[in-house]
Amino acid sequence: MKNLLRAGLSSVVIYLFAFSHLSAETFHPPVDSLLLSTADHTKFEELKKEFKNGPEVTEACLQCHTEAAKQVHRTKHWTWEVLMKDGKMLGKQHVVNNFCISVESNEPRCTSCHIGYGWKDRTFDFTSEKNVDCLVCHDGTGTYKKFPSGAGHPPYEDKVFGGKTPFKKVDLSYVAQHVANPDRHNCGICHFEGGGGDAVKHGDLDNSLLDPTETLDVHMASGENELNMTCTDCHKTEGHQVPGSRYEPTARDVHGFDYPLPDDYPTTCASCHGVDPHQNYKKLNDHVDKVACQTCHIPAIAKERPTKVWWDWSKAGKLDEEGRPLVKKDSTGHLVYLGKKGLFKWAKDIEPEYRWFNGEMNYVTFLTEINDSGVVAINHPDGEPRDTLSRIWPFKVHRGKQPYDPQLKRFVKPKLFGPKGSGAYWSDFDWDTSIAGGMEYAGLEYSGTYDFVETEMYWPISHMVSPKEEALSCVECHSRGGRLEKLAGFYLPGRDANGFVEILGLLVIVSSLVGVSIHGFMRFVSNKRRVQDGEV
């Protein structure tokens, strides 16, 4: 029944998108609860007990869902590893970033967004089925939340984080009896708050998408008669595998509609809209092979909430008169300086930056020798105009300064999180000790000297899609000083000038005007003579 319902809804949406002149209908119309699930979890005796911790809940779940943990163990959400085509091992566990830099040696803090329990150090058992956290994705109550430094565990008693933020004890039995398919709340609790808070990291993902207007995101708009799509409507999960990883994006989907036969890339725009998406202005379809849909249909990011665009770790370390990390906020309440983390800049309702992108993202690792004479790109999109798979894509580019080893020319992994005296920077504020500790923990070489280098990191944009009426107009790109002004390597009418072509065009115009004028004059003279000769 579930599959029939899903197939029916998918057909409705594909029809709506294919014939976009029709009015949209909500993607999740109210249905009888019996259509949503064959099981009422409040009736399960196994779930009515008093659970002491999360793993006990998982053991109860696995009594019926016997293969679920095995499926989860195969996912990127569990391993935090992605093996790339070039042999590099990436994923959150290994990648360099210019937010909190690295997971290693900081696990208890970073793994508050892991779908497991107890990843506090390298002894974590990745083969344990009871360590899988079912509730973080399947909580249907909105009351389940992990403790920020709990190594993936929720609070089992009332606690306070950072001396001021209260966390109520989670009622595990209540949550276990009210599980549901993942909603935008479940995904958003990590993906909207990546990088340490709401709207920090992505630019196109933040908590404003929990209840967005049509202008904010036309797909997720939750008002009356709006589509009201959730994350899993595009990120269609099979065996707990969630497609649409930023490590392996699809820059150009040449398959098109995933109907009647799907491909392996359900998150692309073409999966629902096809490869000729414009019904009323077919000339726009000529752009599809070179311009990503997102480029025109996401004219701005961070539409309602500012996103972080600059993080300067070199400024960290200032303490107030009482020896506590200095805190400064702007007039909107956003942190612009924190003694633990350094200097921040935020921006709201900003234009993305544009690059050619063929789906291959090149990453620097902690073993890469970097060129520190200028800005270091931690990652950069691959692509160029003559590549048939490359299209012009929008990106958020996060910039900042972070520590590195100027002798070995490599990025370093500082130990940031830990109690006072552990060498953690957020407690002891000593960069050399922090870096030495982090690098020793990771088994990486450190020369004993450190400095800071400016970096930039690219984040492809696919969310916060505007209604078609608010998409970019032609002149915003086809003009001098337009959005694509800095994108080189190809000729863009309206932006670029070629002396020979412009002179030739001017000659054609002038010749045409002269020809028309002569023709008109000759016709006038000829007609006048015919009148004088009495022929007319």
Side-chain angles (χ1 to χ4, degrees), residues 114-135:
H114 183 243
I115 55 169
Y117 297 115
W119 186 359
K120 61 180 180 181
D121 54 34
R122 59 179 49 175
T123 65
F124 179 67
D125 184 2
F126 282 93
T127 67
S128 169
E129 295 191 16
K130 70 178 182 181
N131 280 350
V132 171
D133 183 351
C134 307
L135 299 182

Side-chain angles (χ1 to χ4, degrees), residues 50 52 143 145 147-148 154-162 164-172:
E50 185 72 22
K52 294 180 181 178
T143 64
K145 192 168 187 177
F147 191 68
Y156 301 128
E157 59 185 14
D158 291 350
K159 301 174 73 173
V160 175
F161 177 69
K164 56 183 179 180
T165 306
F167 276 75
K168 297 284 290 184
K169 171 187 175 182
V170 172
D171 187 338
L172 294 172

Side-chain angles (χ1 to χ4, degrees), residues 480-493:
R480 294 177 183 174
R483 291 190 179 225
L484 302 183
E485 180 70 16
K486 297 180 181 178
L487 201 62
F490 71 109
Y491 180 80
L492 180 63

Side-chain angles (χ1 to χ4, degrees), residues 291-406:
V291 181
C293 307
Q294 292 90 331
T295 297
C296 295
H297 291 275
I298 308 178
I301 58 175
K303 292 179 179 177
E304 294 189 358
R305 303 185 182 194
T307 187
K308 195 171 284 183
V309 294
W310 176 262
W311 184 331
D312 186 351
W313 281 98
S314 72
K315 304 296 183 185
K318 294 181 181 178
L319 307 178
D320 63 17
E321 294 177 350
E322 298 178 0
R324 297 175 301 189
L326 192 63
V327 177
K328 293 182 179 178
K329 297 182 179 180
D330 63 16
S331 60
T332 66
H334 285 83
L335 284 169
V336 293
Y337 183 82
L338 184 59
K340 287 184 174 181
K341 298 183 177 180
L343 189 68
F344 307 136
K345 292 180 181 177
W346 302 78
K348 179 182 174 184
D349 198 23
I350 54 176
E351 293 181 4
E353 298 186 30
Y354 302 96
R355 301 288 186 274
W356 288 99
F357 185 39
N358 62 10
E360 300 289 337
M361 191 71 85
N362 297 283
Y363 281 86
V364 167
T365 73
F366 286 98
L367 296 175
T368 306
E369 184 173 317
I370 62 174
N371 180 355
D372 58 354
S373 61
V375 178
V376 179
I378 289 177
N379 67 345
H380 65 88
D382 198 4
E384 50 99 10
R386 289 168 292 280
D387 179 1
T388 57
L389 291 179
S390 292
R391 298 199 295 173
I392 299 171
W393 264 73
F395 294 87
K396 173 192 169 181
V397 185
H398 182 256
R399 297 181 168 89
K401 289 184 178 180
Q402 63 192 87
Y404 80 111
D405 187 326

Side-chain angles (χ1 to χ4, degrees), residues 95-111:
V95 75
V96 184
N97 70 71
N98 59 4
F99 290 89
C100 286
I101 303 175
S102 175
V103 172
E104 268 191 310
S105 78
N106 303 302
E107 289 91 342
R109 182 69 180 89
C110 297
T111 58

Side-chain angles (χ1 to χ4, degrees), residues 135 138-141 143-144 170-180:
L135 299 182
H138 291 285
D139 166 35
T141 69
T143 64
Y144 185 85
V170 172
D171 187 338
L172 294 172
S173 180
Y174 175 71
V175 177
Q177 293 176 56
H178 296 85
V179 291

